[in-house]
Amino acid sequence: MIHTNEDTIAAIATAASDAGIGIIRVSGSKAVSVVSRFYQNSKHEYDLEQHANGTIRFGYFCDAKGNLIDEVMVSVMRAPHSYTKEDVIEVNTHGGTMVMQKILHELISDENECRLAEPGEFTKRAFLNGRIDLTRAEAVMDIIEAKSEFALSNSEKQLRGDMRNIIVDMRAQIIYEMAFIESALDDPENYDLTDYSSRIMPMCDKLIRKCDNLLKSADEGRVRATGLSTVIIGKPNSGKSSLLNVLTGEETAIVTDIAGTTRDVIEHDVKIDNILLHVIDTAGIRDSADKIEAIGVEKARKFAKEAELIIYMVDSTSQVGDEDIEILTSVKDKKIIVLLNKTDKEDEIIITKENIQKLLETVGINTDVPIITTSMILGNGIDDLKTAISDLFFNGKLVPEDEIYITNLRHKQLLEKADRSLNLVRDSIEQGLSEDFYTIDLHDAYESLGLIIGEEVGDDLVEEIFSKFCMGK
Ligand SMILES: Nc1nc2c(c(=O)[nH]1)N(C=O)[C@@H](CNc1ccc(C(=O)N[C@@H](CCC(=O)O)C(=O)O)cc1)CN2
Ligand SMILES: Nc1nc2c(ncn2[C@@H]2O[C@H](COP(=O)(O)OP(=O)(O)OP(=O)(O)O)[C@@H](O)[C@H]2O)c(=O)[nH]1
Ligand SMILES: [Mg+2]
């Protein structure tokens, strides 16, 4: 059967796991009549067709033969006042996977009337029916996937329409100039292009700056949203796994006093204030005859190479030397924080911050690398570590700013394209080319920005974007 946007669709909107309540959502012109077939009110006196909009009522959901499946609550939201702008019914059942599946199965059994929704199809309809633009539809997905305070708050801003408004505003400025040029070329008597280039130049610069600022936010936005990949490396027994455990607040990794305890990499997401870190604990680096340990050491080096942040762990009660130089050299171009650990063993400390400073100089690492004294046993130095991370990556700003960050690769690429087109407009102006030259590039910029909010976007792209959504959304 060919799926169309006119079909009535149904899907489980809540998680596919046992929960208190589950919602099965139905959308489309047949929604009310399809659900009516299975819905009974306690006194049989009540008809779904009469159900007041936006209200919820108790009743029974029975199968086609009239056998009770579950007691439910049903809400009706008629077009256009619904999520999809179509008639929407939500059946609230007990949230067992079995009961939700059974009800869904009844609803979609008669395929001509109602079929299973594709992933993201409800939100796709909200977009196609004009309730939300593409950035807001994408925000819905981002909210569901958000794993940090930042990711969530940024996506909520996008859902609110902040991104859309910026783009709409930029496009309005572009189309105004395009219209002006066109009118002037058609009707030179009434529209004067004398000195026009000195007027359009500032506008162009402003738009380019806007693009550049948004693009700048993209890299920071990604780190903030998906987490900073952070690798803890150092010699065996320095306290790397202890740090991971302190950060996660649980026994995530095995800690013993035997050098070479950690062999494989251990990964864990850790939230530090508003920053999400993807922390990777690794095997202590040394030459090992043990085959398994040697593989672990190789892995540690590989992960360190791909990391965005290196936490270099040093045992302050143990000599530093060639091995440290060798490890630090391999990560010298990364952002590094050095932890000088085990400082609770006051009498045994032989390595100081100054020694580390010298070591870093030997390796040729910038001397403003933070060196923090810590004790994993006492939990000392963790706050300093947090501050150092926020300084390194966010200039000390931990609270998300009110500005919106670009976190979507599609938006980033289209903004880059618009940026390039606007720079071409700028070049044309500088070269004193005639106005009709600008319009081509202005139009390209206008189109690229339009694709971000979903105007002039083709069916293929719409399919691709919404197919990444989850079921029932
Ligand atoms: N039960 C339930 N909870 C949900 C949703 C839902 O669809 N059902 N949502 C989504 O998945 C989100 C809420 N988003 C929504 C956005 C708009 C409309 C809506 O009906 N809008 C209409 C009418 C607005 C009104 O009456 O004020 C409109 O914009 O025209 C519904 C939900 C999160 N929680
Ligand atoms: N006194 C003291 N002992 C610590 C501290 N941090 C870790 N230790 C101890 O040092 C030993 C090694 O700690 P681990 O966290 O397993 O060290 P590691 O760097 O993961 O070691 P490998 O996995 O072998 O590379 C354990 O006995 C820890 O209890 C600290 O700050 N002070
Ligand atoms: Mg370890």
Side-chain angles (χ1 to χ4, degrees):
M1 194 177 93
I2 298 163
H3 287 186
T4 80
N5 294 322
E6 277 74 52
D7 297 341
T8 295
I9 53 173
I12 297 170
T14 45
S17 63
D18 295 347
I21 293 167
I23 299 179
I24 293 128
R25 176 149 65 172
V26 188
S27 179
S29 57
K30 302 264 170 56
V32 176
S33 63
V34 169
V35 179
S36 283
R37 229 170 275 159
F38 307 99
Y39 180 73
Q40 289 179 13
N41 186 247
S42 46
K43 299 183 187 94
H44 295 274
E45 67 193 5
Y46 158 72
D47 180 2
L48 255 193
E49 305 277 354
Q50 312 294 325
H51 192 120
N53 258 357
T55 59
I56 193 162
R57 275 194 76 153
F58 177 80
Y60 297 99
F61 195 99
C62 301
D63 68 14
K65 293 192 193 104
N67 301 313
L68 176 71
I69 298 183
D70 194 14
E71 51 175 35
V72 295
M73 295 194 80
V74 172
S75 44
V76 179
M77 288 145 282
R78 285 185 183 79
H81 303 294
S82 74
Y83 184 65
T84 56
K85 280 196 146 204
E86 303 169 338
D87 283 353
V88 170
I89 297 223
E90 291 183 353
V91 182
N92 294 241
T93 71
H94 291 108
T97 44
M98 190 70 200
V99 64
M100 291 190 291
Q101 287 293 346
K102 248 184 123 158
I103 288 179
L104 177 64
H105 188 76
E106 288 299 327
L107 289 170
I108 61 174
S109 59
D110 188 349
E111 280 204 45
N112 295 319
E113 295 275 83
C114 180
R115 65 164 165 84
L116 184 65
E118 290 157 14
E121 197 168 8
F122 294 95
T123 309
K124 180 166 96 180
R125 289 183 178 196
F127 166 65
L128 292 175
N129 295 330
R131 200 177 68 74
I132 48 177
D133 75 297
L134 204 47
T135 65
R136 293 178 63 193
E138 288 172 315
V140 169
M141 185 61 174
D142 294 342
I143 287 170
I144 293 173
E145 289 182 347
K147 294 286 182 290
S148 69
E149 199 72 53
F150 169 78
L152 181 60
S153 94
N154 199 56
S155 311
E156 293 286 1
K157 279 180 204 150
Q158 196 171 312
L159 179 65
R160 196 170 70 187
D162 288 16
M163 182 70 189
R164 174 193 170 273
N165 294 344
I166 291 172
I167 303 296
V168 166
D169 189 49
M170 291 171 82
R171 290 184 96 216
Q173 295 183 42
I174 295 175
I175 202 149
Y176 176 84
E177 302 303 335
M178 279 161 62
F180 185 83
I181 295 171
E182 207 151 299
S183 309
L185 295 175
D186 283 353
D187 181 8
E189 277 173 21
N190 285 310
Y191 296 89
D192 187 9
L193 279 176
T194 321
D195 218 18
Y196 176 66
S197 63
S198 68
R199 260 178 36 217
I200 192 173
M201 194 63 143
M203 189 285 293
C204 201
D205 280 339
K206 206 172 107 204
L207 286 173
I208 290 172
R209 252 197 324 276
K210 186 88 216 163
C211 276
D212 288 347
N213 281 339
L214 284 168
L215 286 168
K216 242 186 256 161
S217 82
D219 297 326
E220 190 180 329
R222 196 207 59 71
V223 168
R224 281 178 179 267
T226 60
L228 197 60
S229 104
T230 306
V231 170
I232 313 171
I233 56 167
K235 287 193 294 197
N237 231 11
S238 51
K240 299 179 294 301
S241 301
S242 303
L243 171 64
L244 180 68
N245 291 352
V246 170
L247 291 175
T248 59
E250 52 192 76
E251 298 273 310
T252 308
I254 300 171
V255 166
T256 75
D257 56 2
I258 303 164
T261 300
T262 306
R263 281 149 175 250
D264 212 341
V265 291
I266 301 170
E267 308 187 36
H268 215 284
D269 282 342
V270 173
K271 223 181 271 176
I272 290 187
D273 298 330
N274 280 335
I275 306 172
L276 185 72
L277 301 187
H278 184 71
V279 183
I280 302 169
D281 175 27
T282 61
I285 293 185
R286 65 173 173 186
D287 281 331
S288 174
D290 181 305
K291 195 171 164 191
I292 299 168
E293 191 183 345
I295 296 171
V297 170
E298 247 347 277
K299 255 184 145 171
R301 292 182 195 279
K302 179 174 150 280
F303 276 75
K305 252 187 221 140
E306 289 157 11
E308 285 166 295
L309 169 65
I310 298 286
I311 297 182
Y312 188 66
M313 195 60 130
V314 180
D315 178 348
S316 63
T317 66
S318 161
Q319 270 314 334
V320 292
D322 293 348
E323 263 171 333
D324 297 274
I325 291 176
E326 188 255 331
I327 305 169
L328 281 169
T329 304
S330 70
V331 293
K332 63 185 280 196
D333 298 323
K334 303 257 170 203
K335 289 196 169 156
I336 306 174
I337 295 173
V338 179
L339 301 189
L340 197 48
N341 193 33
K342 303 199 188 181
T343 48
D344 52 284
K345 290 172 142 182
E346 283 168 37
D347 303 338
E348 295 172 42
I349 295 177
I350 51 170
I351 303 296
T352 62
K353 279 194 181 182
E354 286 68 37
N355 298 129
I356 300 292
Q357 204 84 47
K358 285 235 173 65
L359 189 72
L360 294 176
E361 273 166 37
T362 316
V363 179
I365 289 178
N366 193 333
T367 40
D368 17 289
V369 163
I371 304 165
I372 299 167
T373 52
T374 61
S375 163
M376 292 308 134
I377 298 287
L378 301 176
N380 287 352
I382 298 298
D383 284 342
D384 292 343
L385 172 61
K386 291 178 184 179
T387 310
I389 294 172
S390 95
D391 284 347
L392 271 183
F393 286 90
F394 308 112
N395 305 318
K397 280 176 280 181
L398 270 184
V399 186
E401 290 150 44
D402 207 37
E403 255 166 64
I404 191 148
Y405 288 77
I406 306 287
T407 51
N408 182 309
L409 186 61
R410 195 182 71 83
H411 301 173
K412 185 182 171 197
Q413 287 167 342
L414 287 166
L415 271 168
E416 280 166 349
K417 231 173 135 199
D419 198 37
R420 279 196 297 274
S421 302
L422 288 166
N423 273 297
L424 289 175
V425 176
R426 216 183 174 286
D427 293 348
S428 305
I429 302 170
E430 269 181 346
Q431 289 165 24
L433 296 178
S434 77
E435 282 74 16
D436 48 352
F437 268 93
Y438 318 164
T439 39
I440 302 167
D441 297 316
L442 277 176
H443 187 265
D444 285 349
Y446 183 77
E447 215 172 63
S448 300
L449 294 172
L451 286 169
I452 296 179
I453 55 176
E455 286 194 15
E456 306 166 49
V457 26
D459 292 348
D460 291 357
L461 183 64
V462 172
E463 290 306 318
E464 191 195 316
I465 289 171
F466 288 99
S467 66
K468 295 193 190 109
F469 277 46
C470 54
M471 206 59 205
K473 190 64 244 179

